[in-house]
Amino acid sequence: MNIEPELCRVEDTLDVLVGKWKPIILLYLLKNGTMRFNELKKSIPDITQKMLTKQLRELEEEEIINRVVYPQVPPKVEYSITEYGKELEPILHAMHEWSNRHIQQKQKNQMKK
Amino acid sequence: MNIEPELCRVEDTLDVLVGKWKPIILLYLLKNGTMRFNELKKSIPDITQKMLTKQLRELEEEEIINRVVYPQVPPKVEYSITEYGKELEPILHAMHEWSNRHIQQKQKNQMKK
DNA sequence: CGGCATCCCTTTTGATACTG
DNA sequence: CAGTATCAAAAGGGATGCCG
């Protein structure tokens, strides 16, 4: 079965996943369940605070993740994946596997040259 | 089973798929088989010539599509998906379906408000 | 601790004109 | 027909400082 290109929603999913850091954020949350802001920050050393905040807000907006603020000092904010966001997991998996094949394929073709 | 976030290759697949026009180009080629440059251009009215050229070059570089030039006047260039690129189809499908659920989910949540 | 605001630079994309 | 080339606009992303 084909997707009619005119009716394609692939781009909408890409919009959700794209943002340079979103997949890795989601993978961490899928793996660890609930994580605090700084846990994520430490897990992804190269991300800036600004970017982490921004990506989390966008994921929250799309209802892929939950954001829970504990009104205390010092502040505590926990992030977790929504039930609905978990449905992205097979897609992330498929992309991961495809990419592993992709790497091998490219290496083969390198050797031909 | 989890993907270890540190070893994640999802981003590499996204690199291949992302480019604002790549999914729709791939869907057209999956649907129609072989297409000429101008066929693609007409099918995707909003894309500029420059962008179409660029995206096609990038897909070719990743060996997702074939580019065949017929040395004649006027020129004729045909594009098609490689066997290997076809393996992306299930992923495109899964994203399409997820996105349809995504839309419905958001509409539900709109009504609550 | 978990942000937001500001400034600045780089990359991406678009419009337009030209060519083998 | 299938592109390049050039210029301009917009988006993306990093560094730093301040705040409740």
Side-chain angles (χ1 to χ4, degrees):
Chain A
M1 186 195 107
N2 284 323
I3 304 172
E4 287 301 313
E6 294 81 2
L7 304 175
C8 169
R9 300 255 147 256
V10 171
E11 198 57 47
D12 299 299
T13 299
L14 286 175
D15 286 344
V16 171
L17 287 180
V18 168
K20 189 171 181 184
W21 305 100
K22 283 176 190 171
I24 195 168
I25 291 171
L26 292 176
L27 290 176
Y28 271 112
L29 290 177
L30 283 167
K31 185 185 173 192
N32 297 335
T34 297
M35 291 178 83
R36 295 181 63 171
F37 184 88
N38 259 11
E39 284 186 272
L40 282 165
K41 179 77 181 67
K42 282 173 197 159
S43 301
I44 314 170
D46 286 349
I47 198 172
T48 60
Q49 235 170 355
K50 172 184 168 182
M51 275 297 106
L52 182 53
T53 301
K54 190 182 164 208
Q55 307 278 294
L56 288 169
R57 287 293 179 286
E58 290 172 10
L59 290 168
E60 187 193 359
E61 176 71 20
E62 295 300 325
E63 301 173 74
I64 310 300
I65 64 172
N66 298 122
R67 177 171 183 264
V68 181
V69 180
Y70 295 84
Q72 61 184 47
V73 180
K76 177 176 163 184
V77 182
E78 285 185 342
Y79 295 92
S80 58
I81 302 236
T82 59
E83 281 307 310
Y84 160 58
K86 286 181 187 164
E87 293 175 22
L88 279 169
E89 192 164 16
I91 296 179
L92 294 172
H93 254 286
M95 292 202 292
H96 180 74
E97 310 248 306
W98 182 87
S99 190
N100 280 330
R101 291 198 299 278
H102 188 204
I103 290 165
Q104 288 173 20
Q105 176 80 10
K106 288 188 85 170
Q107 284 174 347
K108 271 192 214 166
N109 289 357
Q110 285 306 314
M111 290 192 296
K112 285 185 194 165
K113 289 172 190 172
Chain B
M1 187 195 105
N2 283 322
I3 304 170
E4 286 303 312
E6 294 81 2
L7 304 174
C8 169
R9 299 256 148 258
V10 170
E11 199 56 48
D12 299 299
T13 299
L14 286 175
D15 286 344
V16 170
L17 287 179
V18 167
K20 189 169 181 183
W21 305 100
K22 282 174 189 172
I24 197 169
I25 291 172
L26 292 175
L27 289 176
Y28 271 112
L29 290 176
L30 283 166
K31 184 184 174 192
N32 297 336
T34 297
M35 291 179 82
R36 296 182 63 173
F37 185 88
N38 257 13
E39 285 185 271
L40 281 165
K41 179 76 181 69
K42 282 173 197 159
S43 300
I44 314 170
D46 288 346
I47 199 171
T48 61
Q49 234 168 355
K50 173 184 167 182
M51 274 298 105
L52 182 53
T53 301
K54 189 183 164 210
Q55 307 278 294
L56 288 169
R57 287 291 179 288
E58 291 173 9
L59 290 169
E60 187 194 359
E61 176 70 20
E62 296 299 325
E63 301 172 72
I64 310 300
I65 64 172
N66 297 123
R67 177 171 184 265
V68 180
V69 180
Y70 296 84
Q72 60 185 45
V73 179
K76 177 175 164 185
V77 182
E78 285 185 340
Y79 295 91
S80 58
I81 303 235
T82 59
E83 281 308 309
Y84 161 56
K86 285 180 188 165
E87 293 175 22
L88 280 170
E89 192 163 17
I91 295 179
L92 294 172
H93 254 285
M95 294 203 291
H96 180 73
E97 310 247 308
W98 181 86
S99 190
N100 280 331
R101 291 198 300 277
H102 188 202
I103 291 165
Q104 288 173 20
Q105 176 79 11
K106 289 188 82 171
Q107 283 173 347
K108 270 191 216 166
N109 290 358
Q110 284 306 313
M111 289 192 296
K112 286 185 194 166
K113 293 172 190 172

